[in-house]
Amino acid sequence: MQRDTRAASNLWADSKRTDAGRRLPQYYLVYFLLVELLGFPHKGGEEKVAWTIPLDYRGTLYTIEHRKMGLGLFIPDPDAHAAEANEIVNRIDKAAKEALPFFEWLANQQVAQSAVNVANHSQVLHQRYMFLRESAQAKFDAAEERQAESRAAAAQMTSLSDWPKLHLLGIRFEPEGDWLALSAVEAFFSWTEHALIHLAILQGRVTTASQVATLAAGDWTGKFKAALDLTDVGAPALFDRILAVRQDLRNHVAHGAFGKQGEALSFHSRAGAVPVLLPQRAGPRHFRFGHGLAFDARRVFDVLDEFEAFMFAGARAPARVFLLEERYSTVLTMAATYAIAMQSNTEMRDFLRHWGDQVDRSANMDW
């Protein structure tokens, strides 16, 4: 700071946000640029302010502050310094772009130390699954009701003239329930792809950012094995059933409903069209869709229910509270804390109350 720098006597009490400051880059880029890279002095947190960087520009003192209402450039008389404020913001914006290699290096350093949070979308993904499942069930129930009406009407028929009435009641295949059920199956695996990683973190089985990245990029089976133990009673048989749903049904439809064994092909013969996948060539598939093969949604849902119960069985029960009742990110550096919270549902709820207070205070910049 220059010796002749002008600082208003009411700088700290009466500083106001400049319009130019609304164009500043993201708060963390400004902080890393000015403090971490260029070594500007700064103040730590105070009430409703996370940090403050005093800035001397052409002999006038400004402050850049990350306040509860957002990052800004402040001075007591912003209108009188609008031109200089624009210059400051333009210089910071240009410098932030030039400093991109530094930001990438810094991010890589933090990830290497696993000082990262892992976003938790488990609750909303599970809600999506349940919405689709309940919508499918509503379609099934309505279809069954119509079929019951048709059967009752058929039992009361007294002449051929009653057949048109029976037709109007709808003895027909209604596919909407199956469509919604298939979407529910897809949503279930989307949720488990996500939740299994968090479950592994909460159990201390995954503790580094590189492990999370590898699991996220890998297949569903890898996530299962990271979070769950195949040596548990009943686990191998359940794994086979849930994998059958994924491979025979979900993957088949998700990848275009053609299949990888010629399921979509029929060869020509004097007997007529013949499916390429003859019975003796078919593998041990449990759940199929298409070509008139039955899709028993209730049977599939039973397997999904069994798997969800297994995910949160025994010592894993507190994880249900974390994943389905709250939306807090998991923090890789908190493995020891999670070990305590995972001892019981009560411990987990106590931890979440404390952690929620911490998160709220941080978001509100309370001091």
Side-chain angles (χ1 to χ4, degrees):
M1 185 178 295
Q2 301 175 12
R3 289 186 178 181
D4 59 348
T5 296
R6 299 183 302 277
S9 59
N10 58 344
L11 176 69
W12 302 109
D14 297 335
S15 285
K16 297 180 178 61
R17 188 183 298 273
T18 63
D19 286 338
R22 303 179 192 280
R23 297 188 293 104
L24 283 166
Q26 294 282 358
Y27 68 90
Y28 45 85
L29 297 182
V30 174
Y31 183 89
F32 293 150
L33 172 69
L34 297 181
V35 176
E36 300 288 343
L37 180 60
L38 300 178
F40 276 57
H42 68 287
K43 289 175 58 180
E46 55 186 280
E47 190 65 24
K48 305 305 180 186
V49 178
W51 46 261
T52 300
I53 302 173
L55 187 66
D56 180 355
Y57 187 71
R58 294 185 177 177
T60 300
L61 188 63
Y62 299 77
T63 61
I64 295 177
E65 299 180 26
H66 184 209
R67 295 182 176 182
K68 180 181 177 180
M69 300 306 292
L71 182 69
L73 177 66
F74 296 87
I75 196 167
D77 189 1
D79 291 338
H81 299 84
E84 292 83 0
N86 271 297
E87 291 176 10
I88 293 171
V89 171
N90 289 340
R91 287 171 180 259
I92 291 175
D93 186 58
K94 183 177 179 181
K97 293 174 181 175
E98 293 295 327
L100 182 59
F102 170 74
F103 298 147
E104 292 178 345
W105 172 84
L106 185 63
N108 288 335
Q109 291 291 108
Q110 295 301 107
V111 170
Q113 297 171 25
S114 296
V116 298
N117 298 349
V118 182
N120 175 19
H121 305 300
S122 181
Q123 187 184 70
V124 69
L125 290 172
H126 189 267
Q127 288 171 344
R128 171 175 170 255
Y129 156 61
M130 290 305 300
F131 169 79
L132 290 167
R133 175 168 172 168
E134 289 166 4
S135 298
Q137 188 60 55
K139 288 289 185 181
F140 293 143
D141 292 344
E144 287 181 356
E145 185 177 343
R146 283 189 288 272
Q147 290 169 5
E149 292 173 356
S150 297
R151 288 192 293 270
Q156 295 175 6
M157 281 198 321
T158 58
S159 68
L160 292 176
S161 63
D162 290 326
W163 277 102
K165 298 178 184 178
L166 182 62
H167 175 73
L168 290 174
L169 284 170
I171 299 181
R172 65 186 188 277
F173 172 63
E174 300 182 35
E176 293 88 347
D178 281 351
W179 294 343
L180 285 165
L182 283 168
S183 294
V185 172
E186 178 73 27
F188 178 85
F189 283 102
S190 175
W191 167 61
T192 53
E193 289 256 1
H194 185 87
L196 286 169
I197 292 178
H198 286 285
L199 183 57
I201 294 170
L202 290 170
Q203 296 176 95
R205 298 168 70 128
V206 169
T207 57
T208 69
S210 61
Q211 288 176 307
V212 173
T214 300
L215 285 174
D219 60 17
W220 186 88
T221 300
K223 298 175 179 68
F224 175 101
K225 292 179 179 178
L228 304 172
D229 197 337
L230 276 171
T231 62
D232 287 354
V233 176
L238 177 58
F239 178 72
D240 289 342
R241 289 197 298 278
I242 195 72
L243 208 58
V245 174
R246 181 171 178 81
Q247 293 177 344
D248 296 353
L249 181 62
R250 182 267 175 191
N251 284 0
H252 178 77
V253 176
H255 296 294
F258 276 109
K260 298 182 179 180
Q261 302 181 56
E263 292 94 330
L265 304 177
S266 298
F267 65 82
H268 303 175
S269 78
R270 293 181 179 178
V274 179
V276 168
L277 194 62
L278 296 172
Q280 62 267 30
R281 293 182 58 199
R285 305 180 71 195
H286 303 85
F287 305 96
R288 296 188 179 187
F289 178 78
H291 293 288
L293 296 172
F295 166 48
D296 187 342
R298 290 174 177 79
R299 184 181 172 206
V300 172
F301 287 156
D302 285 345
V303 177
L304 302 190
D305 287 341
E306 187 178 356
F307 183 76
E308 182 174 340
F310 179 74
M311 280 180 64
F312 300 118
R316 295 186 294 270
R320 177 186 285 276
V321 177
F322 188 103
L323 293 176
L324 298 185
E325 295 183 15
E326 302 291 348
R327 298 187 184 182
Y328 299 124
S329 298
T330 46
V331 184
L332 292 182
T333 54
M334 292 177 61
T337 302
Y338 292 148
I340 297 172
M342 286 290 287
Q343 291 178 3
S344 69
N345 286 353
T346 300
E347 289 283 357
M348 179 60 77
R349 289 195 168 92
D350 287 345
F351 160 72
L352 288 172
R353 277 193 293 271
H354 170 74
W355 186 241
D357 290 342
Q358 295 287 93
V359 171
D360 288 343
R361 280 198 294 271
S362 176
N364 290 327
M365 298 184 185
D366 290 337
W367 187 251

